[in-house]
Amino acid sequence: MSHTPFIPLVEELAEGIHCIETGLYRHGLAACYLVREGDRLAFVDTGTAHSVPALLAVIAKLGLTPEHVDYVIPTHVHLDHAGGAGGLIAACPKAHLIIHPNGAPHLIDPGKLIAGATAVYGEAAFVRDFGAPTPVPAERIILAEDGQTFDLNGRTLTFLDTPGHANHHGCLFDGRTQGFFTGDTFGIAYREFKTAQGPWLYAPTTPVAFDPDQWLASLDKLMAFAPQVMYLTHYGRVDHPETLVDDLRQSIRDMASLALAEQGRADGERQARLKAAIAEHLIASARAHDVDIPDARINELLAVDTELNAQGLHVWLQRREQRAAA
């Protein structure tokens, strides 16, 4: 199935850090990042398999070539973050892929990723929106250890193991700007919801490995670096993270509470009830942040996340109930 290419929006958010629109669903939903130090490049997150031609076009626009890419670094293997990883590795002959050890098998053999995404989204939507990821040769992969540093032409990038949203999630600290590429660990902050109070953050509880306790610990781990800025996949740069992190912690707790209210009610309607409760909660949270957008538009902007959060909380409850019954 052909996929219409688009010309990506590119913003330089800080010294050598380019935020690239990946075009998933709508503009402003999912980004990836290109880090440039001199003539050496690193991608952090990649968008979907459909994103690859646009990312290569950005390299050309900078006057460089795929041979200048040293690293491709997905924060985790969800397809909006890593779907294009194999395609980029195939196109960039000198690049190595850096990934959490738990994520590597899914990029070497993406069969389970494809099956899981097809189950979540349906086959037609999966093909249309994500495309099939290209396998990454094992010899091109570096398994990142917690605290491991990587040199990009003198610029230090530090990998941190940050479970909670996913058990294969890592964040990357850029020493040059004192900022983290956070994937989903520092939540979602769509630009449409920014007000005089600043960005509005909430936690994405996407299937299948939501763990609120681990997530809260991961946030403590990030904040111990006293970061000045966070670069979010969803979406863009947020400053003064120390003023935002408590709101995100509360969102994680709130999502867990919404799920626990359904504990023991394992009927066929539970996921639908969770979805309705999440939608109501997010609208109330946005209103408390002085977001002045009609309810229908809020629901439209958050439709994908509301559905995925409900699925993720449903899976989390099932795991808890299975453990309790064991």
Side-chain angles (χ1 to χ4, degrees), residues 99-269:
I99 190 69
H100 192 290
N102 291 345
H106 298 290
L107 297 183
I108 294 170
D109 178 4
K112 286 185 178 180
L113 273 184
I114 294 169
T118 301
V120 169
Y121 299 103
E123 186 171 0
F126 166 73
V127 172
R128 180 189 70 232
D129 297 327
F130 296 97
T134 300
V136 179
E139 62 271 17
R140 301 281 298 278
I141 291 179
I142 298 172
L143 302 180
E145 298 179 7
D146 185 39
Q148 186 171 355
T149 59
F150 298 91
D151 176 71
L152 181 70
N153 201 22
R155 185 176 193 143
T156 300
L157 303 173
T158 303
F159 179 91
L160 290 189
D161 181 13
T162 54
H165 169 78
N167 62 14
H168 47 77
H169 199 298
C171 294
L172 205 68
F173 186 69
D174 172 43
R176 175 64 52 83
T177 62
Q178 296 292 295
F180 273 106
F181 299 96
T182 59
D184 286 338
T185 294
F186 207 72
I188 287 174
Y190 294 135
R191 291 174 171 180
E192 291 94 337
F193 296 99
K194 187 173 183 179
T195 69
Q197 294 188 40
W200 174 58
L201 269 72
Y202 65 91
T205 61
T206 312
V208 291
F210 173 59
D211 187 315
D213 293 334
Q214 284 193 328
W215 199 337
L216 293 169
S218 291
L219 290 178
D220 292 342
K221 194 173 186 177
L222 296 184
M223 298 313 293
F225 278 67
Q228 301 300 299
V229 58
M230 301 300 205
Y231 307 110
L232 277 59
T233 302
H234 316 286
Y235 187 98
R237 172 179 175 151
V238 298
D239 294 301
H240 309 296
E242 72 282 357
T243 68
L244 303 169
V245 67
D246 283 344
D247 288 343
L248 180 57
R249 289 185 176 113
Q250 189 59 49
S251 180
I252 294 166
R253 296 187 187 104
D254 288 344
M255 288 295 164
S257 294
L258 290 175
L260 293 174
E262 285 287 332
Q263 190 162 277
R265 301 179 68 196
D267 57 56
E269 299 301 315

Side-chain angles (χ1 to χ4, degrees), residues 46-69:
T46 69
T48 72
H50 296 318
S51 305
V52 174
L55 303 189
L56 296 175
V58 172
I59 295 174
K61 190 174 180 181
L62 293 175
L64 298 173
T65 71
E67 284 77 12
H68 291 102
V69 178

Side-chain angles (χ1 to χ4, degrees), residues 277-319:
I278 290 164
E280 181 180 353
H281 169 76
L282 289 176
I283 287 176
S285 177
R287 293 282 175 247
H289 195 72
D290 292 336
V291 171
D292 186 21
I293 300 175
D295 285 3
R297 178 60 175 157
I298 293 176
N299 281 327
E300 182 183 0
L301 289 168
L302 302 182
V304 172
D305 299 301
T306 301
E307 177 64 39
L308 291 176
N309 274 28
Q311 291 183 26
L313 293 179
H314 182 61
V315 170
W316 181 58
L317 279 178
Q318 288 179 319
R319 284 206 315 270

